[in-house]
Amino acid sequence: MFYRGMDNISFTSRIRLVPWREYVHTISELEQKNYAKYPWTIKESVLADKAYTTGIIDCTVCGLTDGKQVLLNHICPDMPGNANFFKIAKFIQSKMPLDNPNIQGFLLGSKKYSENSKKLFEKFTEFLNRHNVPFSQFKGGELKNDVAYISSKDEWLISNPLMEHGIKVFNSPGKLAKRMFDEVKLCDLDQITW
């Protein structure tokens, strides 16, 4: 699906809420090099055609994609190396050309109980807005989440152990997302599905 903006063409990304077992099955087919792992600094970021990360609690996950590859960052707000956001921003800009009109973003994080978590999420929000990158955001919530991106489908996956129950209870993915997160904002280029 295409989106025609001012002078650019972008693909519509799908954000799919999936049961935890389906997420685990999907990532089991991916290689370890596609995993943004602990200690969750920019050094563990992944630039590939598919990427995944797990155990997102008070961290922020920022993903940037041009539809062919993704730069997935899983950044812990309490790691000393992550205190200088300028370094994080510089790293992102060195890996992904933000002036590319096909770049789209994805942001998940910000727990209410952690000031550092909220501040880090806001820094990513300001960074993406400053560079005019359209992005969808999933903010807050009580649960630990897992995220993956598969470029062949231009698809983001969000999961947690309670997602399966939520899918049975809620009759739309939008309603479930709004129940699982404090705030959900989808950019015009994205759609949320099962």
Side-chain angles (χ1 to χ4, degrees):
M1 191 178 277
F2 291 102
Y3 170 82
R4 295 189 185 275
M6 307 247 266
D7 290 328
N8 62 350
I9 298 173
S10 296
F11 289 97
T12 299
S13 293
R14 187 165 72 158
I15 300 170
R16 197 156 62 90
L17 305 180
V18 297
W20 189 70
R21 280 185 245 182
E22 182 179 342
Y23 177 86
V24 169
H25 175 73
T26 299
I27 66 168
S28 71
E29 298 171 357
L30 301 180
E31 297 179 38
Q32 190 67 23
K33 68 179 182 177
N34 297 90
Y35 180 46
K37 60 187 178 292
Y38 180 83
W40 303 311
T41 70
I42 55 173
K43 292 177 185 174
E44 291 76 38
S45 298
V46 174
L47 179 62
D49 62 337
K50 51 194 139 213
Y52 67 101
T53 192
T54 58
I56 308 154
I57 301 175
D58 60 345
C59 297
T60 293
V61 168
C62 178
L64 293 167
T65 181
D66 60 5
K68 296 177 185 171
Q69 60 180 0
V70 64
L71 175 62
L72 186 68
N73 304 281
H74 181 160
I75 306 297
C76 177
D78 298 321
M79 294 298 285
N82 294 336
N84 185 343
F85 191 81
F86 178 76
K87 287 183 179 179
I88 295 171
K90 194 171 179 180
F91 173 84
I92 291 171
Q93 291 171 301
S94 74
K95 299 292 182 187
M96 188 65 71
L98 298 178
D99 58 348
N100 178 340
N102 292 319
I103 296 292
Q104 296 176 38
F106 173 93
L107 206 54
L108 184 145
S110 185
K111 296 296 189 196
K112 287 181 190 177
Y113 60 81
S114 169
E115 282 304 312
N116 288 344
S117 179
K118 292 189 287 188
K119 286 177 185 175
L120 179 63
F121 188 88
E122 290 308 315
K123 287 178 182 178
F124 272 104
T125 300
E126 291 166 9
F127 173 76
L128 295 175
N129 283 329
R130 187 169 55 251
H131 290 282
N132 298 312
V133 174
F135 66 98
S136 291
Q137 65 178 358
F138 296 82
K139 187 174 181 180
E142 303 296 322
L143 303 171
K144 170 186 78 74
N145 293 285
D146 303 313
V147 169
Y149 177 80
I150 312 295
S151 65
S152 61
K153 297 178 180 181
D154 194 15
E155 178 176 79
W156 290 96
L157 302 178
I158 301 174
S159 187
N160 62 54
L162 298 178
M163 193 73 73
E164 188 167 348
H165 178 70
I167 288 171
K168 292 175 184 173
V169 171
F170 290 87
N171 61 2
S172 82
K175 287 181 181 177
L176 176 57
K178 288 179 181 174
R179 173 63 180 94
M180 301 200 88
F181 297 95
D182 299 327
E183 185 178 316
V184 175
K185 290 183 182 175
L186 291 181
C187 78
D188 293 339
L189 307 175
D190 292 338
Q191 60 182 348
I192 191 164
T193 67
W194 297 124

